[in-house]
Amino acid sequence: MTTEYVKLGVNPETDAAHIARAAEIIRDGGLVGMPTETVYGLGASAFSAEAAGKIYAAKGRPSDNPLIVHVSEPAEAENIAYVSPLYYKLAAAFMPGPLTVIMPKKDTVPSSVTGGLASVAVRCPSHKYARALIRAAGVPIAAPSANRSGSPSPTTAQHVLADMDGRIEMILDGGPCEIGLESTVIKLTDDGCIILRPGAVTEIMLARVCGTVEIARAVTDPAEAGEKPLSPGMKYKHYAPRAEVVLVEASDDVFEMYVKANIAPSEAVAVPDDLAHRFVGLSTLSAGQTASATAQSHSLFALLRRADEIGCSRIYMKLPPASGEYLALYNRLIRASGGKIVHVT
Ligand code: AMP
Ligand code: MG
């Protein structure tokens, strides 16, 4: 099939026409690459088992890995899930935004959308084009990240095109994603919640609303073989470029020495822009700013994809802290590296 690629934000009238066309594709059971504030999604009607099947096929994703269902208003969760008062407290604090809440599923959602689970993951994105598309489609949109399974998530429409050209009906280009890492995924418990995947809504932010906040062990320790994780997605290798990712746990000075002693001509070092002057003459990949988890999150997936584009065989990166605003970054990096960390003192 030919993938229709359209740029939004050029003219409000053509935007409305492009979104109406994308909505029609979704209603007809097709697939649309769509911008959100986290990463680009691969959207399809959440009410169609057949459309969910097309998502799994386009991504090459195992069909037991459930999809997140996107709504344009928090209250629309009632159409797909049994919603609790805590959901509405969380919605008041964080929605629309980068938070996904797992709740018991209603029969309106085919079980193929939820990977056979009795629960459904619900998110209300804040991106204006994502919300406009869901509203225009008139159905909730099931959307995983719009990458081929296992590769880094797409944070620009060009990334989506690189992975999905010829496999989906349409791509809406809404510019680069603001956040750059996927949403925080939580499961509600009797007295709070468990973080299954960390994102821009952090543990501290959730604790202000939720009471008790737990972090699933697999967030910081890649799940052991044979273990049944709380979230099926946590058992797969994720976000990995073809290049090997070597995470180095060290101070800035020791990291610099380690890289200079080990780097080969086909290899690159990922460095925050404020430290780039230390690595002049080496192949570097821009990694945001040392003091900004937001800037590092924003550039991570583009950096991993760039490494493959330039044919780099190995990327050296400093390991971020496994806490606070850096937890989401840490989680994606240990998955991209397959859990390999070099400790240098
Ligand atoms: P992605 O589709 O790439 O954004 O990933 C969605 C993540 O949410 C995956 O890690 C899924 O395993 C997880 N997820 C979605 N639905 C559920 C659910 N019902 N129960 C547990 N985890 C879920
Ligand atoms: Mg994904």
Side-chain angles (χ1 to χ4, degrees):
M1 86 175 70
T2 306
T3 301
E4 198 179 330
Y5 183 103
V6 297
K7 185 137 189 60
L8 299 175
V10 179
N11 161 346
E13 266 172 43
T14 45
D15 282 357
H18 291 321
I19 286 173
R21 164 100 191 96
E24 195 187 320
I25 290 170
I26 300 264
R27 276 195 304 274
D28 289 348
L31 305 185
V32 175
M34 62 191 244
T36 82
E37 72 278 22
T38 56
V39 301
Y40 270 75
L42 184 58
S45 168
F47 289 155
S48 165
E50 203 188 328
K54 289 185 192 168
I55 290 182
Y56 291 117
K59 278 182 69 81
R61 176 175 181 145
S63 61
D64 68 342
N65 194 359
L67 308 173
I68 292 175
V69 179
H70 296 70
V71 293
S72 69
E73 293 294 337
E76 288 167 16
E78 307 250 6
N79 299 331
I80 52 179
Y82 293 97
V83 171
S84 67
L86 181 54
Y87 168 77
Y88 279 109
K89 275 177 75 180
L90 289 160
F94 305 115
M95 292 183 196
L99 178 68
T100 298
V101 183
I102 294 170
M103 294 176 284
K105 147 182 139 41
K106 287 188 176 167
D107 288 342
T108 48
V109 183
S111 69
S112 55
V113 169
T114 61
L117 297 175
S119 57
V120 60
V122 183
R123 173 162 122 77
C124 177
S126 64
H127 197 289
K128 67 175 177 181
Y129 297 134
R131 292 183 84 192
L133 177 60
I134 303 163
R135 234 180 278 126
V139 289
I141 295 184
S145 49
N147 52 300
R148 298 298 304 273
S149 195
S151 72
S153 296
T155 55
T156 68
Q158 287 74 32
H159 295 161
V160 181
L161 189 66
D163 280 19
M164 293 293 163
D165 194 15
R167 309 176 75 89
I168 64 177
E169 277 80 1
M170 190 177 193
I171 297 172
L172 296 175
D173 180 351
C177 299
E178 190 190 330
I179 295 174
L181 296 183
E182 303 86 345
S183 60
T184 304
V185 177
I186 61 170
K187 197 178 173 85
L188 304 183
T189 57
D190 290 343
D191 60 346
C193 70
I194 305 177
I195 298 177
L196 303 185
R197 178 174 75 185
V201 174
T202 61
E203 179 188 8
I204 290 177
M205 290 160 75
L206 287 165
R208 286 191 203 117
V209 179
C210 245
T212 314
V213 181
E214 248 184 84
I215 299 178
R217 202 165 54 87
V219 165
T220 47
D221 299 313
E224 285 164 29
E227 206 178 340
K228 188 171 182 293
L230 287 170
S231 177
M234 293 200 291
K235 71 181 178 216
Y236 299 109
K237 189 178 178 198
H238 249 91
Y239 319 117
R242 283 189 295 279
E244 180 193 8
V245 177
V246 176
L247 295 174
V248 184
E249 189 173 29
S251 66
D252 287 345
D253 290 342
V254 174
F255 176 67
E256 180 184 344
M257 281 191 302
Y258 180 82
V259 169
K260 287 180 172 168
N262 288 282
I263 196 165
S266 67
E267 301 174 351
V269 53
V271 279
D273 296 340
D274 50 295
L275 297 180
H277 63 275
R278 293 180 179 229
F279 298 93
V280 175
L282 299 181
S283 172
T284 57
L285 296 159
S286 170
Q289 292 287 327
T290 302
S292 169
T294 317
Q296 289 185 42
S297 300
H298 180 76
S299 54
L300 176 66
F301 288 136
L303 172 166
L304 297 179
R305 281 176 177 261
R306 178 85 193 119
D308 284 345
E309 280 163 25
I310 62 173
C312 159
S313 61
R314 181 182 281 162
I315 313 166
Y316 295 92
M317 251 181 126
K318 213 182 119 176
L319 185 71
S323 59
E325 284 186 288
Y326 289 88
L327 182 63
L329 201 60
Y330 178 94
N331 167 266
R332 303 315 186 271
L333 279 171
I334 56 167
R335 276 147 184 280
S337 74
K340 287 184 299 289
I341 298 174
V342 180
H343 305 270
V344 194
T345 48

